[in-house]
Every structure is written in C-alpha cells, then in structure tokens.
Amino acid sequence: MENCNTMSKSAVKISLDLLSNPLCEQDQDFLNMATALDTAMKRMDAFNQEKVNQIQKTVIEPLKKFGSVFPSLNMAVKRREQALQDYRRLQAKVEKYEEKEKTGPVLAKLHQAREELRPVREDFEAKNKQLLDEMPRFHSSRLSYFQPSFESLIRAQVVYYSEMHKIFGDLARQLDQPGHSDEQREQENEAKLSELRALSIVADD
C-alpha cells in the first residue's frame, strides 16, 4: 500500500512539474497535453486512495485482529505444558512411593502424594481437553475468516484497474494523433532525437 501511494503521488508530481514548465506558456498544445495528463493523474490518485482505504479497512485491519489472538493462544499452550510438567512430577512422586515397602510412613506419604496429584491431574486434563476441542475449530475457521478479506481485496483491485483503464483510455484519446501508428511515432521521435543530437551544444567532444 505504501508503494502504491508513493507511485501515485510521484505521478501527480510529474504532471504538476510539467504544468509549471515554461513551455506551457509558449505552446498551447503542450499546455493542453500537460493539463490532460494532470487531470488523469489526479483522478488516478483519488481512486488509488479509495483502494488503499478499502484494503486497509477490509483486509489489513482484519488480519491484524486475527494476529492478535495468537498471544492468547500461545499462552494457553504454555499453561497446558506447565500443567503437564506439574502432573508428571507428582505422578513420578506417587509411583516412587508405590514402589517402596508399604510401611506406615510410606503409606502416609503415598496418600498425601495422591491427594496432591488429583487436583493437578484434573487441571491438566481440563486444559488439555480445552486445547483438543478448540484448536481444531480455530484451525478450521481460518478460511471462513480470511475469505471475505480476500474477496474484498480482489474487488478493490478490479474496481481500481477498471477505472485506470477508463482514465488512461480517455487520456490516450485526448493526446492521440489520428492516423499515427506506434511505428510512425517511434520514427518521428527518433528523427527529433537525431536533430537534437546534431546540435553543437550536445555533440560529443
């Protein structure tokens, strides 16, 4: 979008520079061409700004909002991983006491370890189930979220380039010399360039 704006503003500046050229005061035909070009460039700039604004509103901002959910998603994954580590640590503690000889103190510690394990296991299972349920839904929702933005992007481009076709078609008709082919114009330009090169002030030393 920044590049589109830069290109559009540069085109407008070129047309304004041509209008300020002293030749416009000396040659009415050149003034007419420069004016036609300036009008076309300003129309192009206006449509470009409309395109940029639409894409900003319907594509870029929705994508930014979509990206804003990832920190929360990553945090949920980290909380699940922390719960898993706590669960494994207490599970290993329970298994250690289960392997020992069943004395009174060991049984007491085993009971305490199991009591500590239960809420931690439930917390992990809840966090794990939440991710298992919601991650596939999040993943599958991407297309339905992005599709309107992609459609809007395409429509914005279609409108813009359709208008550009009209603008430059109108400009070409205003500046066109009837009966002149591209080859004839090229030959005329080469002839004029040769005349300029023949001037002593531009001749090579």
Side-chain angles (χ1 to χ4, degrees):
M1 294 303 95
E2 291 178 1
N3 290 337
C4 286
N5 278 332
T6 299
M7 180 203 71
S8 183
K9 299 302 181 187
S10 296
V12 171
K13 185 178 185 306
I14 289 173
S15 66
L16 288 174
D17 288 345
L18 286 173
L19 277 176
S20 64
N21 191 297
L23 187 58
C24 286
E25 299 177 3
Q26 306 167 15
D27 191 315
Q28 184 63 41
D29 289 339
F30 184 80
L31 174 61
N32 293 339
M33 289 190 294
T35 301
L37 178 64
D38 182 62
T39 300
M41 294 303 97
K42 288 177 179 176
R43 288 175 62 196
M44 179 189 73
D45 186 50
F47 280 111
N48 177 73
Q49 194 57 54
E50 287 183 14
K51 177 191 70 173
V52 169
N53 291 341
Q54 182 179 351
I55 292 176
Q56 177 70 33
K57 184 184 299 183
T58 61
V59 180
I60 296 177
E61 291 179 6
L63 292 182
K64 287 181 178 179
K65 291 178 181 177
F66 185 82
S68 68
V69 307
F70 284 98
S72 299
L73 182 63
N74 291 335
M75 187 59 65
V77 173
K78 289 180 180 179
R79 286 195 295 265
R80 183 261 185 197
E81 291 302 314
Q82 183 60 51
L84 177 59
Q85 292 178 20
D86 295 340
Y87 173 47
R88 285 175 172 172
R89 176 175 54 80
L90 292 175
Q91 180 64 35
K93 185 177 179 180
V94 168
E95 292 173 355
K96 181 182 71 172
Y97 288 125
E98 287 177 339
E99 293 171 356
K100 289 186 176 182
E101 184 179 353
K102 300 301 187 289
T103 63
V106 170
L107 290 174
K109 290 180 180 180
L110 175 60
H111 175 73
Q112 181 181 358
R114 285 173 175 169
E115 289 298 309
E116 294 176 355
L117 175 63
R118 186 172 65 254
V120 173
R121 180 178 62 239
E122 291 173 354
D123 180 58
F124 164 71
E125 290 175 347
K127 287 182 169 61
N128 192 55
K129 183 178 184 301
Q130 182 185 36
L131 286 178
L132 290 175
D133 289 344
E134 295 183 2
M135 283 291 282
R137 289 161 52 193
F138 175 81
H139 189 268
S140 63
S141 69
R142 294 174 304 160
L143 180 59
S144 59
Y145 183 87
F146 286 132
Q147 186 170 350
S149 292
F150 289 148
E151 291 175 354
S152 178
L153 175 62
I154 293 171
R155 284 195 299 269
Q157 298 284 19
V158 168
V159 170
Y160 174 74
Y161 286 108
S162 297
E163 293 297 335
M164 292 307 99
H165 183 267
K166 294 177 184 177
I167 289 172
F168 284 96
D170 292 342
L171 180 62
R173 283 187 289 273
Q174 292 180 62
L175 303 183
D176 196 20
Q177 293 177 304
H180 280 62
S181 66
D182 290 340
E183 291 77 10
Q184 287 175 312
R185 292 188 180 91
E186 185 176 353
Q187 291 173 2
E188 290 179 0
N189 286 339
E190 284 297 326
K192 293 174 182 177
L193 186 60
S194 296
E195 292 176 6
L196 293 175
R197 287 172 175 162
L199 297 174
S200 60
I201 56 175
V202 297
D204 293 334
D205 292 336

